[in-house]
Amino acid sequence: DLAAISGAAGADWILVNPLHAAEPTPPMEASPYLPTTRRFFSPLYIRVEAIPESIYLDTAARRHVSLIWAQATARNGDGAEVPRDAAYASKLEALQLVYAVPRSPSREGRFAAFRAEHGRGLEDFALWCALRERSAQDAIIWEELRPHDEAAFALRQRLRDRIDFHCWLQWVLDEQLEAAQASALRAGMGLGIVHDLAVGVHPLGADAWVLRDVLAPDAEVGAPPDMYNQQGQNWSQPPWHPQRLAEAGYAPFRDMLRTILRHAGGIRIDHVLGLFRLWWVPKGLPADQGAYVYYDHEALVGILCLEAQRAGAVVIGEDLGTFEPWVRDYLAGRGLLGTSILWFEYAADKTPLAPEAYRRGALASVNTHDLPPTAGYLAGEHIALRDRLGLLTRSVEDEEAADREEQGRVLAMCRERGLLPAAGESMPDGTEVGEQQIVEALYGLLAAAPSVMQGVALVDAVGERRIQNQPGTDKEYPNWKIPLAGPDGTVVTVEALSTNPRALSLIHI
């Protein structure tokens, strides 16, 4: 539906947050950037009624699914927090009923072919899901097992039906992702769906269990201190072990990319600099006490380019933050796009870079998911939040002064180009310059960039102000649980986007 709406408005692609799988049962990790696996997908995104077998539910089961659906959708208007766990629990209940419906011979054959194609990796992931389900019921300590030892083999036999169920969920997801990409292309998009690859995985997730031989369990990935996170960041993810990954022929990395790119027009690599080096933080130490560990970037980037070429997909590297200057040139030389964020682009004299000087080989946008929506950024929401959470290392006054200066220089560029009236003046229609007009002016400024991809954030399209994700926090802030809402806090659904006045106004800039 989003592809149809966006395609009709002239969009060529949709960039979605990582669709990687979280825990197999609630409660689930809310952050799409801390998944249990990066190779397989989350059943949370399955559209139950689109599964062919759903039409063959008997009367009682159909009635029950309808009741589940009604109870779940009644929560869609809650603007406070996405009821992720409740929605997932409801969906799993309905999925179990559909799974029990006998499949036709042709459908059964397609399911068997999918399992054979994905082989051991899929079966191991499904085993982990089954063990994770049972660990809460009969104290199976799955962390102490190894995927292919004798005890795990016995459990494979005992949990055969649950393993089959979790393999089936991935097959359903694969079919629906294929259909979604086809819908995007039919809507006139040039690329369609662009998937996102997280930096790493949850330390107690499926990949950490299945791929333990190629990970470094005593270290955690993070980022050194910078101007936006002055205490550094610890993402709690075990990094690839460079030597062991090489000894495995990089097969886990290749298999992951191949699965994600099956039905994609592109892939965004979060923190693409991690293909060159990662900030390792020894367990138990603060994030600023880490060190960089280097990888064979020729191998990793080469595999990425090969798999993208095979899939006919564009690759976008999120090359923000601390990096060595030659890295961007290296990636550009291999056809990988970079990332340009309006607020981060500066000329040599520290003034805002004119958009005409942005890189052509890049995805340019006004903001990113690690920044507040533009309306919130203009209002200083990020400073107020970091102050409440104790994440500032200098005074609020100093932060606000620096922020005003940064924003002022960019807005001055908008005024110089006639995108905004002079300071103190009204809009041409006599109305005052408001937050919506400023947001649209910033996108008008971005439109002058030669970048081959330019993005419009949904939060900016509807006037959302709340921060979706505050880096450096875990339980302190409801990251990835903020529903999309307008300035008045009213939830904006996908279906409502096609008639949302603010979204339509921004799209036609």
Side-chain angles (χ1 to χ4, degrees), residues 410-425:
V410 175
L411 296 181
M413 187 183 296
C414 291
R415 295 188 183 97
E416 291 167 4
R417 294 169 179 241
L419 297 169
L420 285 173
E425 293 185 5

Side-chain angles (χ1 to χ4, degrees), residues 426-483:
S426 301
M427 296 294 291
D429 60 3
T431 60
E432 292 186 7
V433 178
E435 161 233 294
Q436 180 178 349
Q437 287 74 32
I438 296 175
V439 171
E440 292 183 355
L442 292 169
Y443 275 93
L445 182 65
L446 184 74
S451 304
V452 294
M453 296 180 73
Q454 293 191 19
V456 177
L458 279 180
V459 287
D460 289 349
V462 302
E464 174 68 84
R465 294 174 63 126
R466 295 172 297 177
I467 296 170
Q468 307 298 303
N469 175 55
Q470 176 55 54
T473 63
D474 180 20
K475 307 300 182 188
E476 304 91 339
Y477 184 76
N479 292 320
W480 305 108
K481 296 180 183 178
I482 306 297

Side-chain angles (χ1 to χ4, degrees), residues 142-156:
W142 57 268
E143 297 101 321
E144 297 175 3
L145 299 171
R146 296 185 72 84
H148 300 281
D149 62 18
E150 189 174 336
F153 179 79
L155 285 166
R156 285 180 193 270

Side-chain angles (χ1 to χ4, degrees), residues 48 51 58 75 80 88 98-99 117 144 205 218 225 258 268 317 342 364 372 402 404 426 463:
V48 178
I51 304 173
D58 62 33
R75 297 187 287 262
Y88 190 38
V98 178
Y99 166 71
E117 181 179 359
E144 297 175 3
D218 295 324
R258 196 167 290 178
R268 172 189 176 273
L342 183 73
R404 282 194 300 271
S426 301

